Amino acid sequence: MEKKRSNFSMWLLVWGLGLAGQICWNMENQWFNTFVYAKIGKDPSIITGMLICSALATTFSTFFFGTWGDRTGKRRNLISFGYILWGIFTIVFGLTQFISKDMYLFLGVMVVLADTVMSFFGSMGNDSGFNTWCNDIMTDKNRGGIGAALATQPVIGTILGTVVGGILVGSEDNYMRLFIVMGAFVIVFGIISLFVLNKNDDVEPHKDGTFWHQFLSVFNFKEFIKLKELVLLHVGLTVFFIGFNVYFAYMGNYLLYYLGYTADMMGIIEAVPLVLAMLSAIPVAKLINNNKHPYVILAGVVINVIGCFVTYLVKAENVDPSKMFNPHVWLGILIVGIGYISILQTAKVWAKQLYPKDKRGQFEGIWILFFVLLPWIGGSIFGEWTVKTSGHTFVDEVSGQMQYIPNGNIFLIGGIICLLSLIPFGLTLKHYKQRIAETTSVEEAE
């Protein structure tokens, strides 16, 4: 019989694996694109190929390995081997810079392929493995703490990935150093999980016909639609994060090219308010433990939209970019951060409570579909439209190409879309109250 794991080792894995994953995702989202421009070529078609193939690989991997995990019950294999392979292919991605540029087409294909394979195994370890395992170990006592960890880790990962990544790349553009260090970090925690996870971390296998029958069963939206509270929650998340991605994807360029800050100042301007915003996770965790999920979400949307409006009112002519601290800018980012963290922290816990117990792995795929794939597609379309139609433009003297600089309108349009998410989130209240009443009646009868 396997020895029961200590509380310390559980939290070591929750935070270690969680942060390693978020830092690696941040590196892909932030540094892979700059790597292509610095080492491969200033070719947006390569980046487009990376984004499309990576998103598709992530979604497929989550469904595929989620199904495999449900059928075998062995979450630990997904986590350990997924993280190790994830780290290895992070390093492999950096090696593409040594391919001769004389074979430019082949080089571009290999960059896209390396990123796709890395994302595939990253999703295996993090989405299908780690996130589902967190759902498995969640109890009434640790639900708030795990929710707080999962909500704050993306913010911490963004801060560390930005600051540490910049230090590792340095002025000499040493991207290989970045990929080796970050890849090794992920590999180390994959190896640690090999020794810390045990049979107690596996769950009862659930098989429903053949593998592909079970794989495709999650796409039976007739069954998904029956879970009305979960459906409305997912729709609300999609709408909110479409709006969120309208401004979030351009926030760095907004600070650099519209307000005029330098890159090192930009990191601090984003990091400090977000660190302060993370303090909101403490009271939110208490509300989660008291089953106040929809009320926290609704309040989070309102707070986030207020932050967007505050930031929208910032005008470049009123900002001195030589001075790092501007109360208007910092206040806007702080309020936006509080709303974002509250929503993400609550939504993850709320959704996991509603997953069918025998399909938790597969429903992590549903989460990816509504939380990642659809919002990034929609956010990219609206974001590009906003920047091109209402941003600042000029013609580059060297290339003769039109250049686009995002301004405060990204927060205005993004905030309006985020506000629309109040409709599906508000509609969850009826089903939420009904579920809580039924649960209370069962507990009283027992």
Side-chain angles (χ1 to χ4, degrees):
M1 183 176 179
E2 295 284 345
K3 182 179 179 181
K4 187 177 180 180
R5 187 183 52 250
S6 68
N7 197 48
F8 169 79
S9 62
M10 182 198 77
W11 287 110
L12 171 68
L13 292 176
V14 168
W15 278 101
L17 291 168
L19 278 180
Q22 290 301 324
I23 290 174
C24 202
W25 285 133
N26 171 262
M27 179 183 62
E28 180 183 12
N29 294 333
Q30 184 163 345
W31 295 107
F32 275 26
N33 294 348
T34 59
F35 164 80
V36 169
Y37 267 52
K39 300 296 183 180
I40 308 301
K42 295 175 175 57
D43 187 348
S45 63
I46 297 178
I47 295 175
T48 300
M50 287 167 55
L51 292 174
I52 293 174
C53 293
S54 177
L56 290 173
T58 297
T59 304
F60 176 78
S61 177
T62 304
F63 280 108
F64 181 87
F65 288 111
T67 302
W68 186 89
D70 286 339
R71 287 178 67 86
T72 63
K74 296 180 178 180
R75 312 289 196 204
R76 51 184 174 148
N77 289 345
L78 295 176
I79 295 172
S80 301
F81 295 112
Y83 267 72
I84 292 171
L85 291 169
W86 191 10
I88 290 173
F89 280 98
T90 295
I91 298 172
V92 168
F93 177 84
L95 295 175
T96 57
Q97 66 181 291
F98 299 112
I99 300 175
S100 173
K101 292 185 180 180
D102 292 335
M103 302 182 292
Y104 187 75
L105 179 60
F106 175 74
L107 175 57
V109 171
M110 292 306 295
V111 170
V112 173
L113 180 62
D115 182 38
T116 301
V117 174
M118 193 215 77
S119 298
F120 180 80
F121 287 116
S123 187
M124 169 188 172
N126 188 253
D127 296 316
S128 299
F130 171 72
N131 284 329
T132 307
W133 172 75
C134 286
N135 194 4
D136 293 335
I137 66 171
M138 198 177 290
T139 66
D140 290 337
K141 292 183 179 180
N142 63 26
R143 180 175 293 112
I146 292 177
L150 295 178
T152 55
Q153 284 168 1
V155 181
I156 298 174
T158 298
I159 295 169
L160 291 178
T162 301
V163 176
V164 177
I167 293 173
L168 290 172
V169 172
S171 59
E172 67 274 22
D173 283 345
N174 192 337
Y175 281 88
M176 200 66 230
R177 180 169 57 200
L178 169 67
F179 298 141
I180 290 174
V181 171
M182 293 300 189
F185 183 48
V186 174
I187 292 171
V188 165
F189 272 97
I191 293 173
I192 290 174
S193 70
L194 277 173
F195 296 96
V196 178
L197 294 173
N198 53 51
K199 288 184 178 179
N200 291 326
D201 292 289
D202 292 335
V203 295
E204 183 179 350
H206 171 73
K207 294 184 178 181
D208 180 16
T210 65
F211 176 88
W212 291 109
H213 170 79
Q214 190 165 343
F215 174 85
L216 293 172
S217 67
V218 77
F219 296 98
N220 184 352
F221 283 93
K222 290 182 179 179
E223 293 299 319
F224 177 62
I225 291 174
K226 292 178 182 178
L227 306 172
K228 294 182 180 179
E229 185 180 347
L230 186 62
V231 170
L232 289 168
L233 171 60
H234 278 72
V235 172
L237 286 171
T238 297
V239 175
F240 175 82
F241 279 101
I242 285 176
F244 175 82
N245 287 325
V246 167
Y247 63 81
F248 179 76
Y250 293 97
M251 185 177 288
N253 288 331
Y254 163 82
L255 292 171
L256 287 172
Y257 302 111
Y258 177 67
L259 297 185
Y261 290 108
T262 59
D264 55 339
M265 295 172 72
M266 181 198 78
I268 297 175
I269 292 170
E270 285 188 350
V272 175
L274 288 177
V275 169
L276 295 175
M278 284 194 297
L279 297 175
S280 65
I282 300 173
V284 168
K286 294 181 179 179
L287 292 171
I288 290 175
N289 285 336
N290 290 327
N291 283 318
K292 302 298 181 181
H293 306 88
Y295 304 104
V296 176
I297 290 273
L298 291 170
V301 172
V302 173
I303 292 170
N304 184 270
V305 171
I306 291 174
C308 286
F309 184 69
V310 170
T311 310
Y312 162 70
L313 294 176
V314 175
K315 303 300 178 183
E317 56 268 24
N318 297 328
V319 175
D320 182 358
S322 66
K323 297 180 181 179
M324 186 180 302
F325 179 73
N326 180 291
H328 198 162
V329 176
W330 286 48
L331 178 63
I333 296 175
L334 173 63
I335 300 174
V336 166
I338 291 174
Y340 161 71
I341 291 173
S342 300
I343 292 169
L344 187 59
Q345 176 181 353
T346 308
K348 282 199 170 187
V349 175
W350 189 5
K352 289 178 185 295
Q353 284 183 324
L354 302 175
Y355 289 171
K357 292 182 179 180
D358 58 350
K359 292 185 178 180
R360 286 172 176 169
Q362 288 177 297
F363 271 75
E364 284 296 335
I366 291 288
W367 173 271
I368 290 296
L369 188 65
F370 282 87
F371 177 67
V372 177
L373 193 61
L374 295 177
W376 272 112
I377 292 174
S380 298
I381 293 172
F382 282 106
E384 181 180 356
W385 174 80
T386 301
V387 174
K388 285 188 174 181
T389 57
S390 62
H392 290 194
T393 62
F394 67 93
V395 177
D396 182 77
E397 295 180 358
V398 177
S399 65
Q401 297 295 314
M402 184 68 72
Q403 307 291 295
Y404 300 94
I405 297 176
N407 57 19
N409 287 324
I410 58 174
F411 295 96
L412 177 63
I413 301 301
I416 290 173
I417 297 174
C418 288
L419 193 63
L420 294 176
S421 69
L422 288 175
I423 298 173
F425 282 141
L427 292 174
T428 63
L429 278 171
K430 173 185 175 182
H431 305 286
Y432 160 81
K433 291 178 179 179
Q434 181 179 347
R435 176 173 58 84
I436 294 299
E438 291 174 352
T439 302
T440 303
S441 298
V442 171
E443 290 177 349
E444 290 176 349
E446 293 177 347

